[in-house]
Amino acid sequence: MSQLPSAKALQHLVDETFQQFHGLPGGENASYIPYLASVPDELAALVIVTANGDVYQAGDIEYRFAIESISKVATLALLMEDVGPEMVREKIGAEPTGLPFNSVLALCEHHDKPLSPLVNAGAMASVSLLKADSAEQRWQRILDVQRRLTAGNVTLSDEINESEQTTNFHNRGIAWLLYAAGNCFCDPMEACEVYTRQCSTLVTCKDLAVMSATLANHGKNPISGEQVVTPENVAPILAEMTMEGLYDYSGDWAFEVGLPGKSGVGGGLLAVVPGKMGIAAFSPPLDESGNSVRAQRMIAQVAKSLNLNLYG
Ligand code: GLN
């Protein structure tokens, strides 16, 4: 792998890219979760954290937003520690669904097997498969891994959690379908409730970049120095991200950018450059697949400028 440019050049790239795309028109805040509809849509940030812990950032870097589906990566990492990659593949899967992240049709077409831990069905199945004796323990283990992956002050937002728990009827339906097929491994309403909480934590864009840099650094968090993920588990996590990290846009993202990524409907997006860096961007307006419009453009630009495409 080629060397990275100087610190000055990297900060310049982050500043320029942010300036170019932070006001890009297009997309809309997620509205099916009431809280997300109310987040100011002009917010934006871009952060690089290298595998040795150097940080380059621009924009609304203090703003804390809902992690949403990016939490699925943290729970997947924890589940891999608990049961190993092969069990994840057997019970949940490692294929793209080609359908929206909350698709019931995707389940119906595959005997109610989720196919991916990065869609809602597979994420709830992942929560249910974690080693835990109670809902509270399940939740605390997830919050703990979010904190260890980000080395950040990740906390639950009661406001977002309330907003999601009182409107998550579709996800409850999915949890019951999983349970009926034997693919939910705890009480389905516990799986849905804890999954909803894991989506309702607050993170900064830097938190996401550190999480991504941890995966880039073979599972060792470059800020805290902690080995959070067993090195052998990193490649299957990145494979799952490649297949489904941006939902039904994952193929296009691989085609254009060539980096494993993960988005959330809170407007966050991260991409992993193995051995080199984590890149994260944030801005609330989403495209039709539920991926942040501006975050995609910012990360694509950084990847292109630095020649980071893994297939390149
Ligand atoms: N909490 C959201 C949901 O379950 C997360 C979805 C997402 O970020 N794609 O629908």
mmCIF file of all heavy atoms in Angstrom, residues 206-227:
data_model
loop_
_atom_site.group_PDB
_atom_site.id
_atom_site.type_symbol
_atom_site.label_atom_id
_atom_site.label_comp_id
_atom_site.label_asym_id
_atom_site.label_seq_id
_atom_site.Cartn_x
_atom_site.Cartn_y
_atom_site.Cartn_z
ATOM 1 N N LYS A 206 -16.726 12.042 14.508
ATOM 2 C CA LYS A 206 -15.421 11.471 14.876
ATOM 3 C C LYS A 206 -15.589 10.092 15.525
ATOM 4 O O LYS A 206 -14.799 9.183 15.268
ATOM 5 C CB LYS A 206 -14.669 12.415 15.824
ATOM 6 C CG LYS A 206 -13.299 11.868 16.200
ATOM 7 C CD LYS A 206 -12.614 12.707 17.259
ATOM 8 C CE LYS A 206 -11.515 11.916 17.932
ATOM 9 N NZ LYS A 206 -11.063 12.529 19.167
ATOM 10 N N ASP A 207 -16.623 9.930 16.357
ATOM 11 C CA ASP A 207 -16.876 8.609 16.954
ATOM 12 C C ASP A 207 -16.978 7.550 15.854
ATOM 13 O O ASP A 207 -16.415 6.458 15.966
ATOM 14 C CB ASP A 207 -18.180 8.610 17.760
ATOM 15 C CG ASP A 207 -18.100 9.435 19.038
ATOM 16 O OD1 ASP A 207 -16.984 9.641 19.550
ATOM 17 O OD2 ASP A 207 -19.165 9.861 19.516
ATOM 18 N N LEU A 208 -17.713 7.891 14.795
ATOM 19 C CA LEU A 208 -17.890 6.924 13.705
ATOM 20 C C LEU A 208 -16.573 6.678 12.968
ATOM 21 O O LEU A 208 -16.279 5.556 12.556
ATOM 22 C CB LEU A 208 -18.953 7.413 12.716
ATOM 23 C CG LEU A 208 -20.383 7.535 13.261
ATOM 24 C CD1 LEU A 208 -21.335 7.951 12.138
ATOM 25 C CD2 LEU A 208 -20.856 6.228 13.898
ATOM 26 N N ALA A 209 -15.788 7.741 12.801
ATOM 27 C CA ALA A 209 -14.497 7.579 12.110
ATOM 28 C C ALA A 209 -13.552 6.707 12.945
ATOM 29 O O ALA A 209 -12.789 5.907 12.399
ATOM 30 C CB ALA A 209 -13.874 8.934 11.813
ATOM 31 N N VAL A 210 -13.617 6.842 14.271
ATOM 32 C CA VAL A 210 -12.766 6.000 15.137
ATOM 33 C C VAL A 210 -13.221 4.539 15.053
ATOM 34 O O VAL A 210 -12.402 3.617 14.970
ATOM 35 C CB VAL A 210 -12.792 6.493 16.605
ATOM 36 C CG1 VAL A 210 -12.046 5.525 17.520
ATOM 37 C CG2 VAL A 210 -12.182 7.891 16.715
ATOM 38 N N MET A 211 -14.526 4.346 15.051
ATOM 39 C CA MET A 211 -15.062 2.978 14.914
ATOM 40 C C MET A 211 -14.570 2.350 13.606
ATOM 41 O O MET A 211 -14.135 1.189 13.570
ATOM 42 C CB MET A 211 -16.591 3.081 14.918
ATOM 43 C CG MET A 211 -17.339 1.806 14.748
ATOM 44 S SD MET A 211 -19.086 2.198 15.138
ATOM 45 C CE MET A 211 -19.851 0.795 14.418
ATOM 46 N N SER A 212 -14.611 3.143 12.562
ATOM 47 C CA SER A 212 -14.156 2.683 11.253
ATOM 48 C C SER A 212 -12.644 2.435 11.265
ATOM 49 O O SER A 212 -12.156 1.421 10.721
ATOM 50 C CB SER A 212 -14.538 3.752 10.230
ATOM 51 O OG SER A 212 -14.111 3.400 8.977
ATOM 52 N N ALA A 213 -11.898 3.335 11.914
ATOM 53 C CA ALA A 213 -10.442 3.174 11.997
ATOM 54 C C ALA A 213 -10.074 1.927 12.815
ATOM 55 O O ALA A 213 -9.046 1.289 12.574
ATOM 56 C CB ALA A 213 -9.801 4.414 12.609
ATOM 57 N N THR A 214 -10.918 1.581 13.778
ATOM 58 C CA THR A 214 -10.685 0.366 14.571
ATOM 59 C C THR A 214 -10.764 -0.867 13.668
ATOM 60 O O THR A 214 -9.928 -1.782 13.769
ATOM 61 C CB THR A 214 -11.721 0.281 15.720
ATOM 62 O OG1 THR A 214 -11.574 1.441 16.539
ATOM 63 C CG2 THR A 214 -11.534 -0.969 16.554
ATOM 64 N N LEU A 215 -11.734 -0.865 12.783
ATOM 65 C CA LEU A 215 -11.830 -1.975 11.826
ATOM 66 C C LEU A 215 -10.662 -1.925 10.834
ATOM 67 O O LEU A 215 -10.111 -2.959 10.451
ATOM 68 C CB LEU A 215 -13.177 -1.934 11.098
ATOM 69 C CG LEU A 215 -14.395 -2.195 11.994
ATOM 70 C CD1 LEU A 215 -15.690 -1.924 11.246
ATOM 71 C CD2 LEU A 215 -14.390 -3.632 12.525
ATOM 72 N N ALA A 216 -10.270 -0.708 10.444
ATOM 73 C CA ALA A 216 -9.133 -0.568 9.523
ATOM 74 C C ALA A 216 -7.836 -1.046 10.172
ATOM 75 O O ALA A 216 -6.922 -1.513 9.500
ATOM 76 C CB ALA A 216 -8.993 0.892 9.089
ATOM 77 N N ASN A 217 -7.775 -0.929 11.500
ATOM 78 C CA ASN A 217 -6.571 -1.263 12.261
ATOM 79 C C ASN A 217 -6.666 -2.679 12.859
ATOM 80 O O ASN A 217 -6.246 -2.910 13.981
ATOM 81 C CB ASN A 217 -6.375 -0.201 13.364
ATOM 82 C CG ASN A 217 -5.012 -0.262 14.006
ATOM 83 O OD1 ASN A 217 -4.013 -0.577 13.359
ATOM 84 N ND2 ASN A 217 -4.965 0.030 15.300
ATOM 85 N N HIS A 218 -7.263 -3.596 12.104
ATOM 86 C CA HIS A 218 -7.346 -5.019 12.496
ATOM 87 C C HIS A 218 -8.027 -5.214 13.844
ATOM 88 O O HIS A 218 -7.658 -6.096 14.617
ATOM 89 C CB HIS A 218 -5.953 -5.657 12.499
ATOM 90 C CG HIS A 218 -5.137 -5.270 11.301
ATOM 91 N ND1 HIS A 218 -5.421 -5.742 10.035
ATOM 92 C CD2 HIS A 218 -4.099 -4.401 11.158
ATOM 93 C CE1 HIS A 218 -4.582 -5.200 9.166
ATOM 94 N NE2 HIS A 218 -3.775 -4.375 9.817
ATOM 95 N N GLY A 219 -8.991 -4.353 14.143
ATOM 96 C CA GLY A 219 -9.807 -4.528 15.350
ATOM 97 C C GLY A 219 -9.269 -3.832 16.582
ATOM 98 O O GLY A 219 -9.900 -3.873 17.638
ATOM 99 N N LYS A 220 -8.106 -3.183 16.461
ATOM 100 C CA LYS A 220 -7.530 -2.473 17.618
ATOM 101 C C LYS A 220 -7.853 -0.985 17.505
ATOM 102 O O LYS A 220 -7.482 -0.341 16.505
ATOM 103 C CB LYS A 220 -6.018 -2.688 17.642
ATOM 104 C CG LYS A 220 -5.341 -2.093 18.864
ATOM 105 C CD LYS A 220 -3.876 -2.497 18.898
ATOM 106 C CE LYS A 220 -3.196 -1.923 20.116
ATOM 107 N NZ LYS A 220 -1.805 -2.350 20.230
ATOM 108 N N ASN A 221 -8.520 -0.450 18.515
ATOM 109 C CA ASN A 221 -8.895 0.961 18.491
ATOM 110 C C ASN A 221 -7.631 1.831 18.572
ATOM 111 O O ASN A 221 -6.898 1.759 19.557
ATOM 112 C CB ASN A 221 -9.834 1.259 19.671
ATOM 113 C CG ASN A 221 -10.404 2.664 19.622
ATOM 114 O OD1 ASN A 221 -9.691 3.613 19.334
ATOM 115 N ND2 ASN A 221 -11.687 2.786 19.898
ATOM 116 N N PRO A 222 -7.355 2.665 17.546
ATOM 117 C CA PRO A 222 -6.107 3.429 17.530
ATOM 118 C C PRO A 222 -6.086 4.574 18.536
ATOM 119 O O PRO A 222 -5.016 5.114 18.829
ATOM 120 C CB PRO A 222 -6.035 3.972 16.098
ATOM 121 C CG PRO A 222 -7.438 4.014 15.629
ATOM 122 C CD PRO A 222 -8.166 2.904 16.335
ATOM 123 N N ILE A 223 -7.237 4.924 19.093
ATOM 124 C CA ILE A 223 -7.282 6.003 20.089
ATOM 125 C C ILE A 223 -7.075 5.434 21.495
ATOM 126 O O ILE A 223 -6.248 5.923 22.259
ATOM 127 C CB ILE A 223 -8.622 6.780 20.012
ATOM 128 C CG1 ILE A 223 -8.822 7.371 18.601
ATOM 129 C CG2 ILE A 223 -8.689 7.859 21.087
ATOM 130 C CD1 ILE A 223 -7.832 8.429 18.168
ATOM 131 N N SER A 224 -7.817 4.373 21.825
ATOM 132 C CA SER A 224 -7.709 3.813 23.187
ATOM 133 C C SER A 224 -6.623 2.755 23.290
ATOM 134 O O SER A 224 -6.181 2.428 24.383
ATOM 135 C CB SER A 224 -9.042 3.176 23.591
ATOM 136 O OG SER A 224 -9.276 2.010 22.797
ATOM 137 N N GLY A 225 -6.225 2.177 22.144
ATOM 138 C CA GLY A 225 -5.239 1.096 22.152
ATOM 139 C C GLY A 225 -5.837 -0.271 22.481
ATOM 140 O O GLY A 225 -5.133 -1.279 22.509
ATOM 141 N N GLU A 226 -7.147 -0.316 22.692
ATOM 142 C CA GLU A 226 -7.783 -1.589 23.053
ATOM 143 C C GLU A 226 -8.052 -2.460 21.817
ATOM 144 O O GLU A 226 -8.529 -1.966 20.790
ATOM 145 C CB GLU A 226 -9.115 -1.334 23.774
ATOM 146 C CG GLU A 226 -9.732 -2.623 24.316
ATOM 147 C CD GLU A 226 -11.191 -2.487 24.771
ATOM 148 O OE1 GLU A 226 -11.705 -1.354 24.793
ATOM 149 O OE2 GLU A 226 -11.800 -3.514 25.066
ATOM 150 N N GLN A 227 -7.753 -3.759 21.921
ATOM 151 C CA GLN A 227 -8.130 -4.711 20.868
ATOM 152 C C GLN A 227 -9.604 -5.041 21.075
ATOM 153 O O GLN A 227 -9.960 -5.869 21.904
ATOM 154 C CB GLN A 227 -7.266 -5.982 20.984
ATOM 155 C CG GLN A 227 -7.442 -6.963 19.827
ATOM 156 C CD GLN A 227 -6.775 -6.480 18.546
ATOM 157 O OE1 GLN A 227 -5.640 -6.050 18.554
ATOM 158 N NE2 GLN A 227 -7.510 -6.555 17.431
#
